[in-house]
Amino acid sequence: TARGPQVTNSVVVASTRTWRLRELNYVDGKGVERQCEMLEANVQDPAGDAISVTVCAVRRTRTGPREFLLVRRFHPPLGGFSIDLPEGVVGDSRSVADAAVKILRDTSGYTGKVMLAGSPPLCIAPAVSALSTQTVLVEVDPRAPGNSNPRPVSDEVETIWVPLDQLQRELDSQVSGGCAVSHAVWSFSVGLHIGHVE
């Protein structure tokens, strides 16, 4: 009886301070033996859960539509800037929700309230890696103490608040300016568009 695709062997072939390159042997759905390579982080959660957290932050306004938080930062592998969501790692003895609030504060200087707790671990690039992230929805109240004059911990990240109904226009503008856009942000914008298509 066919057992379906499965990995049969895994060997680390190279390693750096933060990454490992692993060679995999696997059997595909037709029973053919194949090989591929994958990247994995040298730091892993002992429980096997995602150690990365992605924050979807929204901010209510008094008159206009809610705003969505984007971050613009330089990524050496890209050789340029990209538009992303705030993200970071879960620290020791910290829940995913607590990590999301800290990541938001460190990135933007804003404090927020978790509205939707962490998702299950979500794969990022399953064709080349088993890395995953958990997404948390956080709402920012601009009237809350500390949010009138936010001071981010990091000075390497530019924060951009965009009205939800202008998100795609902002992304198009960033791309025209030579900035890359993460698949998560673009997919979110497409989802907003689909929600308004009849």
Side-chain angles (χ1 to χ4, degrees), residues 16-84:
T16 68
R17 182 175 59 87
T18 54
W19 296 101
R20 286 192 293 262
L21 177 63
R22 188 176 290 273
E23 185 176 82
L24 305 177
N25 294 325
Y26 72 100
V27 177
D28 67 15
K30 296 182 179 180
V32 178
E33 295 184 359
R34 299 184 181 276
Q35 281 188 336
C36 70
E37 296 172 342
M38 67 171 285
L39 280 174
E40 64 182 12
N42 247 340
V43 179
Q44 295 181 337
D45 182 359
D49 295 329
I51 59 172
S52 171
V53 176
T54 301
V55 181
C56 287
V58 293
R59 181 173 66 177
R60 292 188 179 276
T61 60
R62 293 183 177 181
T63 56
R66 285 184 296 177
E67 296 177 327
F68 189 64
L69 180 63
L70 303 175
V71 294
R72 183 177 185 269
R73 72 180 94 200
F74 180 79
H75 286 290
L78 291 177
F81 289 86
S82 72
I83 297 295
D84 304 295

Side-chain angles (χ1 to χ4, degrees), residues 130-167:
L131 293 175
S132 61
T133 188
Q134 289 180 266
T135 300
V136 179
L137 176 62
V138 179
E139 185 177 70
V140 172
D141 182 354
R143 297 167 297 180
N147 284 345
S148 60
N149 185 29
R151 297 182 179 180
V153 173
S154 174
D155 59 359
E156 298 181 356
V157 179
E158 176 188 355
T159 58
I160 306 170
W161 285 101
V162 184
L164 286 173
D165 61 356
Q166 298 178 28
L167 178 58

Side-chain angles (χ1 to χ4, degrees), residues 110-129:
Y110 285 92
T111 60
K113 178 182 178 181
V114 173
M115 303 301 293
L116 186 63
S119 66
L122 307 172
C123 54
I124 299 173
V128 296
S129 172

Side-chain angles (χ1 to χ4, degrees), residues 54-56 68-72 82-87 160 162 164 167-168 170-172 174-175 180-193:
T54 301
V55 181
C56 287
F68 189 64
L69 180 63
L70 303 175
V71 294
R72 183 177 185 269
S82 72
I83 297 295
D84 304 295
L85 301 176
E87 59 184 5
I160 306 170
V162 184
L164 286 173
L167 178 58
Q168 189 59 54
E170 175 66 26
L171 298 184
D172 290 339
Q174 291 288 344
V175 171
V181 178
S182 78
H183 73 283
V185 174
W186 196 274
S187 296
F188 180 81
S189 182
V190 170
L192 289 177
H193 176 73

